Amino acid sequence: MKKMRMTAVALMLMTAAMTFGQSKVFMTKEITPESLVRIYKALVVEAQGRVAVKISTGEGGNTHYLKPTLIRNLVETVNGTIVECCTAYGGSRQDPKKHWETIHEHGFDSIFAVDLMDEFGEIRIPIQDKKHLKYDIVGEHLANYDFMINLAHFKGHAMGGFGGVMKNASIGVASTAGKTYIHTAGKVTDPNKLFQNLPEQDFFLESMAATAQAVHNYFSGRVIYINVMNNMSVDCDCDGHPAKPELQDMGIMASLDPVAVDQACLDMVFNYQGRPGDDNKPLIERINRQHGTYITDYAEQIGLGSKKYELISIDR
């Protein structure tokens, strides 16, 4: 993978991302193919070179994942390749063959170039925060890309409390062994031993933050982070039978700072005035049950980004 000098790139992206010490987070209430392109362009950072678009293609049976029709315009605008990795918990996506079948069933490979990055191997990339992990284990094809669009579906998650761009960068980019390594906070890499080696919850969240930072650093900050706040079930797209969303769709948020954009989405959910038929309480309860908000605290602590942000609407 061809690398640019980190100092020049980091300075350019930092300048674009910050205003008076606060990270810029752009928002639109409109969730359409056109608004995804508009919010990407609002960041004023062009995805260049070989562009990976990291999404979750969704577990078999799940209907809440980001649909190909929604993301198509953005992927075509950046001439991107959809990238994914296999899971660590069985289901329809741990085995590459079944994963490809799920990708096909969900309609991704009929529209886009798709790369299952760990189909043929994995690599280790450096990790800055070594509190629990010695390295990050990712799909080997990550080395084929120069820029990443981290396109996440913001929703609940059974183990992390919620899933946003940091989960998409950490668990999402990790290989099967890497996912196991993160989930067990560095204890094991064998997925057959995952559930017997679950650590303290905060250790898992710290490991996710550390590996999200590893991927960010691997690209020298050449990553755009987008959270789509629709179909916000308490369950993740990795669940084949997710609970029905009880909270209305809220919009799309984007930033060059992964901590800021996840924090902005959390604030949107926690500060929302719910009502019957449009209830934020189930998602808040899921997040609190898993101490999910701690990931933004720790990610800020290790220098991945800032919880302080300026929210900028792009809606007319």
Side-chain angles (χ1 to χ4, degrees):
M1 177 177 177
K2 186 177 180 180
K3 294 281 185 180
M4 296 169 63
R5 291 184 62 84
M6 178 153 183
T7 51
V9 174
L11 180 62
M12 177 190 71
L13 294 174
M14 185 181 299
T15 302
M18 303 290 286
T19 301
F20 304 114
Q22 294 182 321
S23 293
K24 296 178 183 178
V25 176
F26 293 88
M27 180 188 178
T28 174
K29 294 181 179 179
E30 181 182 317
I31 304 177
T32 65
E34 294 76 18
S35 65
L36 263 177
V37 175
R38 284 202 306 272
I39 205 165
Y40 157 69
K41 290 184 176 179
L43 293 167
V44 198
V45 172
E46 184 180 358
Q48 297 180 333
R50 298 163 295 181
V51 180
V53 181
K54 176 63 187 74
I55 65 165
S56 169
T57 50
E59 189 69 16
N62 188 294
T63 59
H64 297 157
Y65 58 91
L66 301 181
K67 303 302 188 293
T69 50
L70 174 63
I71 69 174
R72 181 173 188 168
N73 289 7
L74 175 60
V75 178
E76 290 180 347
T77 296
V78 301
N79 192 27
T81 298
I82 298 295
V83 300
E84 257 278 50
C85 284
C86 291
T87 63
Y89 52 79
S92 69
R93 295 184 299 148
Q94 183 170 334
D95 172 76
K97 183 177 182 296
K98 290 182 180 180
H99 198 157
W100 276 115
E101 291 172 356
T102 303
I103 288 169
H104 182 70
E105 288 169 3
H106 290 175
F108 288 98
D109 61 341
S110 62
I111 298 178
F112 311 113
V114 181
D115 183 3
L116 196 53
M117 293 192 292
D118 64 335
E119 182 175 10
F120 303 110
E122 59 194 22
I123 57 174
R124 296 177 179 181
I125 64 173
I127 196 166
Q128 182 175 320
D129 175 51
K130 294 185 172 65
K131 182 175 181 180
H132 304 293
L133 311 177
K134 297 177 181 178
Y135 37 73
D136 189 14
I137 310 172
V138 301
E140 67 174 354
H141 288 178
L142 190 69
N144 295 339
Y145 300 97
D146 306 300
F147 198 104
M148 176 172 282
I149 305 286
N150 182 327
L151 182 53
H153 176 208
F154 187 89
K155 69 289 177 190
H157 188 266
M159 299 185 75
F162 78 95
V165 295
M166 284 193 284
K167 175 187 172 293
N168 199 34
S170 57
I171 297 294
V173 174
S175 65
T176 295
K179 286 177 171 63
T180 306
Y181 194 52
I182 295 167
H183 273 291
T184 62
K187 291 182 180 180
V188 297
T189 58
D190 182 351
N192 295 314
K193 299 179 180 179
L194 191 160
F195 293 104
Q196 303 96 293
N197 287 278
L198 295 178
E200 293 182 27
Q201 178 65 7
D202 284 358
F203 292 177
F204 164 53
L205 297 172
E206 289 169 355
S207 298
M208 278 209 295
T211 47
Q213 184 181 47
V215 172
H216 185 87
N217 290 348
Y218 185 76
F219 283 98
S220 299
R222 295 192 300 278
V223 187
I224 284 172
Y225 297 95
I226 303 174
N227 271 332
V228 180
M229 302 180 75
N230 70 343
N231 295 319
M232 289 183 285
S233 170
V234 299
D235 296 315
C236 182
D237 297 345
C238 58
D239 191 323
H241 303 282
K244 181 181 178 181
E246 298 183 53
L247 179 62
Q248 73 169 15
D249 296 349
M250 291 185 169
I252 303 171
M253 294 201 189
S255 182
L256 303 180
D257 181 338
V259 180
V261 74
D262 270 357
Q263 185 63 50
C265 291
L266 287 169
D267 290 343
M268 186 73 70
V269 170
F270 275 76
N271 295 327
Y272 186 70
Q273 297 298 313
R275 54 188 182 273
D278 180 17
D279 192 359
N280 57 340
K281 290 180 181 178
L283 182 53
I284 290 173
E285 289 171 359
R286 170 59 57 87
I287 294 169
N288 286 340
R289 188 188 76 184
Q290 300 304 108
H291 198 202
T293 58
Y294 176 62
I295 191 172
T296 58
D297 297 334
Y298 190 76
E300 182 181 57
Q301 179 184 323
I302 63 175
L304 176 55
S306 174
K307 290 171 60 179
K308 297 177 181 178
Y309 59 89
E310 175 191 8
L311 192 60
I312 305 167
S313 174
I314 66 168
D315 293 334
R316 296 180 179 85

